[in-house]
Amino acid sequence: MSAAAKSSAPGAPPGRGALRRNLPPARRFLAGRKRVLVRLGGWSLLESAQTFLGGYCLAQALDRGFLAGQTGTGLLWLAVAAASILGAGPPMRGVFTQLAELTEPLRDALVRRAVRQALRRAVTDPARTDDRADTGAVSRLTHQTEIVRDSFAGLVLTVRAFVFNAVGALIGLLALAPELLLVVLPPLVLGIGLFLATLLPMASAQRAFLDADEAVAEGVGAVSAGHRDLVACGAQADAAERTGRLIDTAERTSRVLARWAALRTVALGVAGQLPVLLLLVTTPWLLRQGVTTGALAGALTYLLQALLPALHSMMTALGAAGTRLLVVVDRFQDATAAPVPPKAPDPDPDPDPDVVVEAGTPRGRRPSRTAPAVEIRAVTHAYGPDSPPVLDHLHLTVRRGEHIAVVGPSGIGKSTLAGVVSGLVAPDHGTVLLGGEPVTGATAQDLADRRVLIPQQAYVFTGSVRDNLLHLRPDATSGELTYAIGVLGAEPLVDRLGGPDAVLDPRGLSHGERQLLALCRAYLSSAPLVLLDEATCHLDPAAEARAEHAFAERAFTDGARARGGALIVVAHRLSSARRADRVLVLDGTTPRFGTHEELLTSSALYRDLFGHWQHTPPPAGS
């Protein structure tokens, strides 16, 4: 189930919940633009006058003019009607001017909201920051904001046109003959009521269809991206079954949407066609009641030329653009909802008997001189209440100065583990300690002082090379900067860019060059624990080996070890595992942790991965 679908209020249909969530911000938006609405209504009243004159002048032209033998009088009434039509240009120009005053601020507000949401997700879940990470945010920023603007503009135009055309037409019918209202109003009200009753169920069906369609696209994309891992793990049947369930759900939601669309068509027929039919059927009775021929012609003019076209446009817009607008705007509301606060850590479910807790020290706050660099106790994490956990009751201890590699198939939870250790992802259960201090409850600055995480997509900003490299530690000396550049082999890149004080344009850098600069920045950081989440995947094997060796030496220095220093590498190549002191193998069932030699004996997955890697040996120096 998608996040959008799960966000609906419990026990309420998604359409009703979406309407309840979006009505308050909609009222605030319109309340702040009362003057625009007043001006829009003023221009639209002129359209009501034109509608009124169209049918009324035709009726008078027939009754007082042509049918009474007064041709000049008839032509005069028709001239008045023609003048009202010709004078429609300025009112329409005024309507569109005020419409822009409504739609453009709405679009700007949604763009700002989409940007805030993307930044929030990047901060709260950096482990998902890759080329495909938040395509939903890009869609909201571009395509979906345009959908909202266009749909909102269409709704305002069509609803406004119907309301003011209806006012002019109903006043005209009343002026011609009150009996006409007895014939026209009942089917009109019945059809509109039936149509309005379908709006919320239609929005629910539309949303369910969109959620199912997105789930199919995401599921097929995930299978396509990870097909090698699926084949390697023998999970083709399971992947096919899950994808089949997604497709079946999409088919069911499509059928439900089609049924509501058919009912909407019935409502349109009742409101749009039945009034004309009843007017024709009741013509003899109306004539007996004294209704004139001109009044009947005027009534048909009101129905066929003004009221029914406007009604048809409004129903079509509300049924299609309206439900789409409600669904898309609600996605903005869902995406910008406040993040769920991290759960309090569980009591230590499996205390380590080898670690002594000094008297008077609260449990979980170990003395920094004796605690491991990283300790994970019974951590479980899933990306939804109905999703299988990607980390399930995981225990892990990383010693000070140790170099750890994490391997496993794509999507198995390696980046999630990096996010949990760094404190950016709150586990559902369990405890994470860095240097004996719990991650939960630590401030952003506390975490920055204790660990540095470099994701696969390295962040480089416009500014000098020096500003980029000293971003995490502005007080580093020139000697430390030069040493970091040298130990990581970044001198050729820095020289090509024009030296440390040269202005850096991120668009001119390759992915590998971005990663090399980010590695230099992390090396200069004062944080003792370094997590590299495939942070060297765009480097060649020799450069990757050099970087990992430099960070391993950094973690093993006396100063870093004393403060809980260690290196954790989410491996992109198996050569990273060969260089590590110990390796954690995530296979989705029982994680294995040990040296390279131990895992060749105890882990079938590690043997398969290593055997496949050996068939294509890396270049010398890796």
Side-chain angles (χ1 to χ4, degrees):
M1 185 183 294
S2 69
K6 288 182 288 188
S7 64
S8 297
R16 191 177 303 278
L19 185 63
R20 188 179 299 116
R21 283 189 298 273
N22 287 284
L23 272 180
R27 291 194 191 101
R28 291 194 297 270
F29 176 80
L30 295 176
R33 289 159 181 82
K34 292 180 180 179
R35 293 184 179 180
V36 176
L37 294 175
V38 170
R39 290 194 295 267
L40 181 63
W43 286 113
S44 299
L45 279 176
L46 297 177
E47 191 172 345
S48 295
Q50 176 196 341
T51 301
F52 171 80
L53 290 174
Y56 189 80
C57 290
L58 176 62
Q60 300 305 316
L62 288 174
D63 290 338
R64 298 187 181 184
F66 302 116
L67 295 180
Q70 301 293 327
T71 303
T73 302
L75 292 175
L76 182 61
W77 280 105
L78 292 180
V80 174
S84 68
I85 295 174
L86 294 176
M92 289 306 297
R93 180 179 179 181
V95 165
F96 278 95
T97 299
Q98 302 309 313
L99 181 65
E101 296 292 329
L102 286 176
T103 56
E104 295 308 315
L106 175 63
R107 178 185 178 277
D108 294 344
L110 292 177
V111 167
R112 289 192 295 270
R113 182 174 292 180
V115 171
R116 288 197 301 269
Q117 168 218 318
L119 291 175
R120 182 181 295 116
R121 285 191 172 184
V123 171
T124 57
D125 194 3
R128 298 184 62 189
T129 306
D130 56 23
D131 289 335
R132 305 177 304 276
D134 201 1
T135 54
V138 176
S139 176
R140 281 186 288 275
L141 188 61
T142 56
H143 180 58
Q144 293 187 26
T145 54
E146 295 302 321
I147 287 179
V148 172
R149 182 179 69 170
D150 294 344
S151 299
F152 180 67
L155 283 177
V156 171
L157 282 177
T158 54
V159 173
R160 176 207 59 85
F162 171 74
V163 169
F164 287 94
N165 274 296
V167 169
L170 294 177
I171 292 176
L173 290 172
L174 183 63
L176 293 176
E179 293 84 357
L180 295 172
L181 293 177
L182 297 177
V183 176
V184 171
L185 271 183
L188 188 64
V189 172
L190 176 63
I192 293 176
L194 180 61
F195 172 76
L196 293 177
T198 67
L199 280 182
L200 291 180
M202 187 81 174
S204 299
Q206 181 86 31
R207 176 163 191 160
F209 172 75
L210 288 176
D211 288 339
D213 185 61
E214 288 185 0
V216 169
E218 292 176 2
V220 172
V223 170
S224 177
H227 68 281
R228 293 183 180 178
D229 293 329
L230 291 172
V231 173
C233 298
Q236 302 99 309
D238 182 64
E241 181 183 357
R242 292 186 180 185
T243 305
R245 289 199 298 267
L246 294 175
I247 294 173
D248 291 341
T249 301
E251 180 185 6
R252 287 194 299 272
T253 58
S254 178
R255 291 173 186 262
V256 172
L257 182 62
R259 286 195 289 269
W260 283 110
L263 184 58
R264 188 189 68 192
T265 303
V266 171
L268 181 60
V270 171
Q273 306 299 328
L274 195 55
V276 177
L277 179 62
L278 287 179
L279 184 64
L280 295 176
V281 170
T282 59
T283 295
W285 176 79
L286 291 171
L287 291 174
R288 289 196 298 270
Q289 302 302 315
V291 178
T292 64
T293 302
L296 289 173
L300 284 173
T301 300
Y302 284 133
L303 289 176
L304 298 177
Q305 298 298 322
L307 194 58
L308 298 186
L311 176 64
H312 184 275
S313 298
M314 183 191 70
M315 285 188 168
T316 302
L318 282 176
T323 53
R324 184 169 61 245
L325 176 66
L326 182 61
V327 169
V328 174
V329 170
D330 193 49
R331 288 173 178 271
F332 280 90
Q333 294 283 9
D334 291 341
T336 55
V340 178
K343 298 179 181 179
D346 293 346
D348 188 354
D350 187 17
D352 187 351
D354 297 329
V355 180
V356 178
V357 181
E358 295 181 357
T361 303
R363 184 159 201 82
R365 296 183 63 86
R366 312 281 178 85
S368 60
R369 294 190 303 274
T370 60
V374 178
E375 190 173 2
I376 299 175
R377 300 178 183 175
V379 162
T380 299
H381 183 72
Y383 281 108
D386 301 322
S387 303
V390 290
L391 301 176
D392 191 6
H393 206 71
L394 177 65
H395 291 266
L396 178 68
T397 300
V398 179
R399 297 186 290 261
R400 292 163 178 265
E402 194 170 18
H403 175 188
I404 299 299
V406 183
V407 301
S410 297
I412 204 66
K414 302 188 296 294
S415 293
T416 301
L417 175 61
V420 168
V421 172
S422 64
L424 298 175
V425 176
D428 297 329
H429 304 286
T431 305
V432 178
L433 304 173
L434 300 184
E437 300 291 331
V439 167
T440 303
T443 66
Q445 185 59 52
D446 289 338
L447 292 175
D449 291 338
R450 291 150 64 181
R451 56 86 182 118
V452 58
L453 168 67
I454 302 297
Q456 179 179 355
Q457 297 299 320
Y459 172 64
V460 180
F461 55 87
T462 301
S464 71
V465 176
R466 185 186 304 274
D467 290 339
N468 273 272
L469 299 187
L470 301 183
H471 181 63
L472 298 179
R473 189 181 161 207
D475 59 346
T477 66
S478 297
E480 291 171 324
L481 175 62
T482 302
Y483 180 79
I485 293 173
V487 75
L488 290 167
E491 303 104 319
L493 172 60
V494 174
D495 291 341
R496 182 182 69 80
L497 295 174
D501 295 317
V503 176
L504 184 64
D505 182 4
R507 295 172 298 179
L509 298 175
S510 67
H511 289 298
E513 290 169 337
R514 290 170 182 244
Q515 285 189 336
L516 192 53
L517 293 176
L519 290 169
C520 292
R521 178 194 301 150
Y523 192 91
L524 286 165
S525 166
S526 59
L529 174 64
V530 176
L531 300 104
L532 304 181
D533 185 5
E534 297 195 20
T536 58
C537 64
H538 295 297
L539 301 180
D540 61 71
E544 179 182 67
R546 181 170 183 168
E548 290 180 4
H549 177 74
F551 277 101
E553 290 293 324
R554 176 187 184 274
F556 199 72
T557 60
D558 292 339
R561 292 177 66 192
R563 294 186 298 120
L567 172 63
I568 299 177
V569 177
V570 175
H572 178 69
R573 302 179 179 95
L574 260 294
S575 54
S576 296
R578 290 298 307 271
R579 288 186 289 269
D581 298 324
R582 289 190 292 172
V583 181
L584 174 64
V585 182
L586 298 179
D587 60 1
T589 54
T590 304
R592 302 288 182 179
F593 189 40
T595 65
H596 168 71
E597 291 74 16
E598 292 170 346
L599 291 174
L600 287 176
T601 303
S602 62
S603 172
L605 174 61
Y606 188 75
R607 286 196 301 272
D608 292 341
L609 293 173
F610 184 71
H612 175 74
W613 174 73
Q614 277 190 315
H615 288 300
T616 55
S622 65

